[in-house]
Amino acid sequence: MNHSIIAQTPRLQLRQMTEADAGNLFRLNQDEDVLRYTGDAPFADVEAAAAFLRAYDQYRLYGVGRWAVTRVADGCFLGWCGLKYTPAREEYDVGFRFLRQYWGQGYATEAAQASIELGFNQFHIQVIVGRAMAANSASLRVLEKAGLKLAGRLDFDGQPGWLYTIRNPFL
């Protein structure tokens, strides 16, 4: 699998996740605060995370995906961020998940902005959406800071949620 850098900001690099990221992905999904608003269950073990990564097909099918986010200064894994294509909805969404110790430092916003710019400039996506549970005020702030605008209410895994959108200004 390609380990190349997908995008870089002054502080962050975004790259495709590989099976070598299984330990970090497992650790990320063990924190109940990280998963609180996602609707996801934690991985049973590192092998389950590795199996998820082996089966992950967004890069191959659509050229986009959730990318590992590492710090430029030291290569430290911070979490993931990126675009996901959902064929049933014919839409791309921006999503992010970071280890708790890196919350509140602007990493999610910086990575989301880089993902959106990549989606517009490299993949020529017309509209990118973001979804979050209404109770997840931190993620809602990230979506707003990344430039998305409130588009309406939605059901988020049985919880009240908000839908945000941003349109490609170049198309």
Side-chain angles (χ1 to χ4, degrees):
M1 194 176 287
N2 184 352
H3 295 268
S4 65
I5 302 303
I6 302 296
Q8 183 164 323
T9 71
R11 298 189 302 162
L12 306 175
Q13 289 184 333
L14 282 66
R15 62 164 174 77
Q16 288 186 2
M17 284 192 275
T18 70
E19 201 173 333
D21 291 304
N24 287 322
L25 203 56
F26 173 74
R27 185 167 52 106
L28 180 66
N29 278 25
Q30 291 309 294
D31 187 331
E32 62 185 35
D33 286 337
V34 170
L35 292 186
R36 173 170 288 132
Y37 302 113
T38 68
D40 291 341
F43 291 113
D45 51 31
V46 174
E47 178 49 39
F52 170 83
L53 289 167
R54 283 192 299 272
Y56 190 70
D57 61 4
Q58 284 278 314
Y59 308 139
R60 181 177 53 79
L61 293 177
Y62 310 113
V64 299
R66 305 304 200 202
W67 298 302
V69 179
T70 59
R71 202 165 33 208
V72 169
D74 58 8
C76 178
F77 178 90
L78 306 178
W80 59 254
C81 182
L83 304 173
K84 178 176 81 173
Y85 182 68
T86 304
R89 292 188 177 125
E90 294 185 6
E91 73 180 15
Y92 293 86
D93 78 77
V94 62
F96 40 86
R97 192 172 297 172
F98 286 79
L99 292 163
R100 189 184 339 179
Q101 66 261 39
Y102 303 117
W103 291 1
Q105 299 176 46
Y107 291 133
T109 300
E110 191 173 326
Q113 288 170 329
S115 296
I116 290 165
E117 288 175 20
L118 191 68
F120 288 164
N121 296 329
Q122 183 171 328
F123 297 104
H124 310 291
I125 297 169
Q126 291 184 5
V127 176
I128 295 172
V129 305
R131 293 182 174 74
M133 287 186 190
N136 190 351
S137 58
S139 287
L140 295 173
R141 276 194 309 276
V142 168
L143 293 173
E144 290 168 358
K145 286 180 181 178
L148 287 89
K149 303 294 181 205
L150 183 61
R153 295 181 180 268
L154 60 84
D155 178 284
F156 192 113
D157 293 324
Q159 300 293 318
W162 294 107
L163 175 69
Y164 283 74
T165 63
I166 187 169
R167 185 166 292 282
N168 189 332
F170 308 110
L171 295 180

